[in-house]
Amino acid sequence: MVKVALAKGRLEEEAFPFLERCGFRFEEKGERSLIVTDIEESLKIFIVKPADVPTYVSSGVVDVGICGTDSIVESQLKLIQPMKLPFGKAKMVVSGFEGFKMKNGSVTVATKFPVSAKLYFDSKGVDVKIVKLNGSVELAPLVGLAPLIVDIVQTGRTLRENGLSILDEIYPISAVVTLNDVSYRIKRGEILRFLERLERGCGREDLDRTR
Ligand code: PRP
């Protein structure tokens, strides 16, 4: 049985229909169930907070993680990423009011993603003060907490409805598969069969083998 940590929320909602396209079948799951096993008992899925997926994978509690690129970047863990998946598409972006101008090469940025924000502003040689928030980040420029935010944009609706614009794109996001290296050595055959099923569900054109 392959053990999988799956990011709860938006990704999870897309992941189950995708896994069904790959041929896995599930009983109706309870809304608060944290462990889901498929009918043929080849998969045991743990539903966890997106930011915790890399921790479950690196600790070896699970063999495989499915989460967004952002969770991997923020974890700062070096994890094997054999495959991008064809859902969870979004972008990590810098946003603020249109026409924002930086003063003295330094800026305050509100974000749920401090690692991504720091990497971006460091790469631009900008001295950045990061205000870590846990949600509703788009509020920060509106109330004067920070003129800029670094956040995920999917449909762009939240930015639009709050009068903010994308000022720069940092990196594209999609759901990705990550592997625990020890599990991969011990359960190689089983994990490869699982990846092949995902691959078939992706359709060849969507598969992007990065390693
Ligand atoms: C995420 C993200 C943006 C929004 C983007 O927040 O942080 O706020 O979704 O989506 P959109 O481009 O489709 O509008 P989430 O909905 O997870 O809620 P949060 O603000 O409480 O973190």
Side-chain angles (χ1 to χ4, degrees):
M1 187 181 274
V2 176
K3 287 184 280 177
V4 180
L6 172 63
K8 75 159 81 175
R10 290 192 196 199
L11 217 62
E12 171 194 351
E13 283 165 24
E14 293 184 88
F16 279 102
F18 171 73
L19 289 171
E20 280 167 355
R21 280 211 307 281
C22 299
F24 296 101
R25 288 173 306 131
F26 301 92
E27 304 273 14
E28 187 76 16
K29 84 172 182 69
E31 227 171 81
R32 305 289 298 166
S33 299
L34 297 177
I35 303 180
V36 180
T37 306
D38 70 320
I39 288 171
E40 67 189 55
E41 298 199 340
S42 60
L43 276 189
K44 183 175 266 199
I45 300 177
F46 301 95
I47 313 288
V48 307
K49 283 269 186 192
D52 293 337
V53 171
T55 309
Y56 278 83
V57 174
S58 67
S59 69
V61 167
V62 298
D63 309 308
V64 175
I66 297 179
C67 62
T69 320
D70 51 299
S71 301
I72 308 270
V73 173
E74 289 297 311
S75 75
Q76 297 182 282
L77 292 167
K78 290 230 175 306
L79 297 172
I80 308 171
Q81 292 177 58
M83 198 186 283
K84 278 188 194 165
L85 296 171
F87 58 91
K89 304 271 190 231
K91 288 182 286 195
M92 185 67 73
V93 304
V94 184
S95 306
F97 290 115
E98 193 70 59
F100 168 81
K101 291 269 178 301
M102 202 164 328
K103 289 181 203 134
N104 315 321
S106 75
V107 71
T108 301
V109 176
T111 187
K112 291 186 282 189
F113 305 97
V115 174
S116 302
K118 181 90 173 86
L119 286 172
Y120 171 80
F121 285 100
D122 282 355
S123 79
K124 300 284 178 194
V126 171
D127 183 20
V128 64
K129 178 179 170 227
I130 291 173
V131 179
K132 171 78 169 64
L133 293 178
N134 295 299
S136 303
V137 176
E138 292 82 357
L139 194 58
L142 310 185
V143 298
L145 182 61
L148 295 183
I149 62 172
V150 164
D151 200 10
I152 293 176
V153 168
Q154 201 168 35
T155 62
R157 187 173 166 191
T158 314
L159 286 180
R160 247 189 336 271
E161 291 191 2
N162 291 288
L164 300 172
S165 304
I166 295 176
L167 303 178
D168 203 358
E169 297 189 2
I170 305 183
Y171 56 81
I173 293 173
S174 76
V176 292
V177 173
T178 63
L179 297 181
N180 176 276
D181 52 348
V182 176
S183 295
Y184 186 56
R185 283 202 294 276
I186 298 170
K187 298 167 75 170
R188 193 183 168 92
E190 206 179 346
I191 290 171
L192 283 176
R193 277 196 298 283
F194 172 65
L195 295 178
E196 276 158 20
R197 283 180 82 163
L198 297 191
E199 196 170 314
R200 281 199 296 277
C202 287
R204 288 258 159 219
E205 67 285 2
D206 285 319
L207 184 68
D208 176 11
R209 282 206 176 279
T210 48
R211 284 181 64 147

